[in-house]
């Protein structure tokens, strides 16, 4: 008998039929003799719908009120799932994040988990009851309701699995595992049987949204094994564990893409010590997370600086950037949002020269221009035009020998 945390994402609980299918699976797991903690996301695109509604109602979105609003999405799915379980004679109770003691900091919209108390979950489990927990939410030390950032239900699941010492944390989603590229844009992507935390971290950080980045960090720090699998086919999926790859594994594990970033360029930046620091500091103080940074060669003691940032933070960066441009004589700011970050990830890269050369040649052969480049020991990322993203992913996938013989065949639910 094992303790399983099962997380069900938005498409897995998108409508009444899906909720009943999930309840059936939980009932089946219980009948196998296991204890279950189910963590649920909001139904389908409910979170997006609530955000759109907030925009319609007002141009002002205080973090506290946004979190109050967004946590309503997960409340709907947790209670409906418990009703479906009751219909199958399975004893189940729903809990909000605050009820199970997910304690966070007070950073609304992207709160970090500080502690998981979990007493009510422990009690319910010891009575043989299935716990259904609302994902993506917690309560701050100031007793405010918080959310953990988009995709945060993955993090709730991993945090509960760590706190309750679960045997495994299963992440049920709409694809059959972690693939060598997003099967939605690369039909020849292959399912990985296993991937290490380090590689998964790089994939999640560069757009492989199948797992939220924070959840992988949490899993690595607390050594929680993850099993990413489909709630449509229920077949075995991908294990994400601490284990490093074996010698026969390919040098490159995957190609990721990210369309959520924008590029900002500041011109006429004085080329002297402290200027780059002041730009980055001003943005950090405004809560803006910048990613790839490129500075051009200095001409007449002036340079241009470009960096990427999440599209959602462009507005927050606006006034900071305008102030900076005014400070630099002749300084201008330009923004481009039609960009894509395409990355190659693979632990084998460390010991294999020539990866970057093959990557750049492959893109050049397609006439794709590289706007920015950044690397880590196990990743190379480039910024290209958004319109060239799919072709770039597909060609790189083929060039590094990752193409599967068969095209992806499991059902891919439509995303409205
Ligand atoms: P959920 O709502 O279940 O949390 P997500 O949309 O967050 O689902 O994540 C699943 C989606 O991640 C898939 O539908 C797929 O399009 C996308 N995805 C991106 N990269 C990958 C990858 N490398 N492997 C698998 N899925 C990926
Ligand atoms: N419902 C939230 C979102 O859409 C959290 C999640 O699904 O993980 O981001
Ligand atoms: Mg997700």
């Amino acid at each position: 008998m094992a303790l399983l945390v099962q997380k069900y994402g938005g498409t897995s609980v998108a409508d009444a039929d899906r909720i009943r299918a999930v309840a059936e699976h939980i009932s089946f797991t219980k009948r196998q003799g296991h204890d279950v903690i189910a963590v649920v996301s909001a139904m389908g695109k409910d979170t997006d719908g609530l955000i759109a509604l907030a925009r319609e109602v007002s141009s002002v979105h205080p973090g506290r009120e946004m979190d109050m609003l967004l946590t309503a999405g997960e409340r709907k799915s947790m209670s409906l799932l418990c009703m479906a379980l009751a219909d199958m004679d399975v004893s189940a109770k729903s809990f909000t994040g605050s009820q199970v003691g997910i304690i966070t900091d007070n950073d609304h919209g992207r709160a970090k988990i500080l502690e998981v108390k979990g007493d009510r979950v422990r009690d319910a489990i010891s009575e043989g009851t299935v716990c259904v927990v609302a994902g993506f939410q917690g309560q701050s030390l100031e007793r405010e309701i918080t959310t953990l950032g988009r995709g945060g239900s993955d993090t709730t699941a991993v945090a509960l699995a760590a706190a309750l010492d679960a045997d495994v944390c299963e992440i049920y989603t709409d694809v059959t595992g972690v693939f060598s590229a997003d099967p939605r844009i690369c039909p020849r992507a292959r399912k990985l049987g296993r991937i290490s935390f380090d590689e998964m971290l790089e994939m999640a950080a560069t757009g492989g949204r199948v797992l939220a980045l924070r959840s992988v960090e949490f899993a690595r720090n607390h050594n929680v094994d993850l099993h990413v699998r489909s709630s449509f086919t229920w077949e075995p999926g991908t294990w994400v564990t601490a284990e490093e790859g074996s010698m026969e594994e390919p040098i490159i594990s995957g190609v990721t893409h990210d369309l959520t970033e924008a590029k900002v360029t500041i011109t006429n930046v004085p080329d002297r010590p402290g200027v780059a620091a002041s730009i980055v500091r001003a943005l950090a103080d405004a809560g803006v997370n910048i990613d790839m940074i490129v500075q051009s060669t200095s001409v007449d003691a002036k340079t241009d600086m470009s960096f990427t940032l999440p599209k959602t933070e462009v507005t927050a960066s606006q006034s900071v950037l305008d102030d900076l441009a005014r400070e630099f004589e002749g300084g201008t700011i330009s923004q481009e949002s039609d960009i894509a970050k395409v990355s190659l990830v693979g632990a084998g890269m460390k010991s294999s020269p020539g990866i970057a050369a093959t990557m750049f040649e492959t893109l050049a052969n397609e006439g794709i221009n590289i706007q920015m480049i950044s690397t880590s020991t196990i990743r190379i990322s480039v910024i290209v035009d958004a319109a060239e993203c799919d072709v770039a992913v597909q060609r790189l996938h083929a060039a590094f020998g990752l193409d599967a013989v068969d095209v992806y065949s499991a059902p891919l639910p439509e995303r409205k």
Side-chain angles (χ1 to χ4, degrees):
M1 181 162 126
L3 172 61
L4 304 182
V5 173
Q6 300 184 333
K7 180 258 169 175
Y8 295 95
T11 32
S12 303
V13 291
D15 54 34
D17 286 345
R18 293 296 316 150
I19 290 179
R20 289 190 63 81
V22 165
E24 288 277 7
H25 188 68
I26 294 175
S27 166
F28 167 78
T29 313
K30 276 297 279 180
R31 286 198 306 275
Q32 306 284 100
H34 305 305
D35 287 322
V36 181
I37 301 169
V39 174
V40 287
S41 287
M43 294 169 69
K45 293 271 166 193
D46 263 11
T47 309
D48 290 336
L50 292 170
I51 294 172
L53 200 54
R55 291 202 179 119
E56 259 182 63
V57 164
S58 171
S59 58
V60 189
H61 308 115
R64 180 183 187 279
E65 304 312 327
M66 279 307 284
D67 281 354
M68 280 293 196
L69 176 68
L70 297 189
T71 47
E74 271 69 12
R75 264 190 189 236
K76 259 170 73 181
S77 25
M78 70 174 186
S79 43
L80 290 170
L81 179 56
C82 283
M83 291 179 205
L85 284 163
D87 209 21
M88 294 167 195
D89 286 330
V90 178
S91 150
K93 257 188 203 162
S94 64
F95 296 99
T96 63
S98 65
Q99 282 178 313
V100 297
I102 296 189
I103 309 299
T104 70
D105 62 19
N106 210 29
D107 200 0
H108 285 290
R110 54 178 176 200
K112 281 209 179 67
I113 296 177
L114 304 175
E115 190 192 346
V116 176
K117 294 199 161 75
D119 301 338
R120 296 194 67 178
V121 178
R122 261 182 222 102
D123 292 348
I125 291 290
S126 68
E127 290 162 9
T129 298
V130 170
C131 290
V132 180
V133 179
F136 164 67
Q137 52 179 267
Q139 185 182 28
S140 72
L141 292 170
E142 291 86 348
R143 295 214 253 151
E144 297 292 359
I145 297 299
T146 53
T147 62
L148 310 177
R150 299 305 305 267
S153 299
D154 295 342
T155 315
T156 305
V158 178
L160 278 169
L164 289 133
D165 203 17
D167 295 277
V168 57
C169 181
E170 297 182 321
I171 306 284
Y172 286 94
T173 184
D174 56 11
V175 283
T176 53
V178 178
F179 280 72
S180 51
D182 186 343
R184 285 179 196 275
I185 69 162
C186 187
R188 293 210 177 270
R190 56 172 87 214
K191 185 163 88 183
L192 308 174
R194 197 202 58 77
I195 183 168
S196 68
F197 288 134
D198 286 345
E199 285 172 303
M200 193 61 234
L201 266 181
E202 292 283 6
M203 282 184 80
T206 55
R209 64 160 187 209
V210 64
L211 284 174
L213 178 60
R214 287 255 188 95
S215 72
V216 188
E217 284 170 346
F218 215 103
R220 184 180 65 172
N221 295 345
H222 298 268
N223 207 13
V224 177
D225 287 352
L226 307 179
H227 186 188
V228 180
R229 50 192 303 198
S230 165
S231 69
F232 289 78
T233 66
W234 308 103
E235 68 197 273
T238 303
W239 284 90
V240 188
T241 64
E243 202 187 318
E244 285 290 331
S246 65
M247 302 247 313
E248 305 92 65
E249 279 188 83
I251 294 163
I252 302 299
S253 306
V255 185
T256 58
H257 70 283
D258 186 358
L259 291 159
T260 65
E261 296 197 339
K263 184 173 92 173
V264 168
T265 303
I266 315 179
T267 62
N268 283 319
V269 176
D271 191 17
R272 58 179 151 74
V275 176
S278 67
I279 295 173
V280 175
R281 167 58 61 201
L283 288 161
D285 289 346
V288 177
N289 260 313
I290 65 172
D291 180 19
M292 291 164 85
I293 308 174
V294 173
Q295 190 177 310
S296 64
T297 323
S298 153
V299 177
D300 296 332
K302 303 249 175 158
T303 83
D304 295 345
M305 192 173 171
S306 297
F307 52 85
T308 59
L309 76 176
K311 281 180 186 157
T312 49
E313 291 176 15
V314 166
T315 316
S317 70
Q318 200 63 60
S319 65
V320 178
L321 293 169
D322 290 344
D323 289 349
L324 287 167
R326 265 192 295 276
E327 259 178 53
F328 308 142
E329 205 191 317
T332 61
I333 305 282
S334 60
Q335 278 169 10
E336 208 185 313
S337 38
D338 288 336
I339 58 155
K341 180 165 72 180
V342 176
S343 309
L344 280 183
V345 176
M349 215 181 262
K350 282 184 251 184
S351 47
S352 306
I355 301 293
T358 307
M359 181 182 193
F360 301 165
E361 279 159 12
T362 306
L363 296 172
N365 289 342
E366 289 299 321
I368 296 175
N369 185 43
I370 299 172
Q371 304 175 21
M372 291 168 108
I373 302 166
S374 82
T375 61
S376 81
T377 42
I378 64 165
R379 175 188 51 80
I380 306 173
S381 301
V382 295
I383 296 291
V384 300
D385 201 286
E388 295 172 326
C389 177
D390 291 9
V391 174
V393 171
Q394 290 157 6
R395 295 297 179 274
L396 290 171
H397 197 265
F400 285 93
L402 298 172
D403 273 4
V405 179
D406 303 321
V407 296
Y408 186 87
S409 59
L412 269 177
E414 208 177 311
R415 294 171 162 265
K416 289 166 210 126

